[in-house]
């Protein structure tokens, strides 16, 4: 599944008043929740046509389940 890749300006414009982004907005862009470090740079690289690896899957820490 290919998600929409926003421009850096679109990413900035979507920022909330509190300085973050909503979970649903990030999901539209294919960014997992919680967003991993460097997610904005990765989206910008994709926007610029660079070959970027997909975001790693976020697996819950098994210790937190018990």
């Amino acid at each position: 599944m290919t998600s929409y890749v926003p421009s850096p300006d679109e990413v900035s414009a979507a920022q909330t008043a509190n300085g973050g982004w909503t979970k649903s907005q990030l999901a539209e862009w294919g960014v997992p929740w919680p967003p991993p470090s460097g997610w904005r740079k990765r989206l910008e690289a994709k926007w610029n046509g660079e070959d970027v690896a997909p975001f790693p899957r976020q697996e819950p820490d098994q210790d937190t389940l018990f």
Side-chain angles (χ1 to χ4, degrees), residues 9-48:
D9 289 340
E10 288 175 278
V11 173
S12 294
Q15 198 168 11
T16 68
N18 291 333
W21 287 264
T22 64
K23 184 176 183 178
S24 62
Q25 179 63 74
L26 293 174
E28 279 184 44
W29 298 334
V31 178
W33 189 266
S37 177
W39 68 269
R40 285 179 285 176
K41 286 185 182 206
R42 191 178 293 200
L43 281 181
E44 186 171 351
K46 283 176 89 172
W47 171 255
N48 290 324

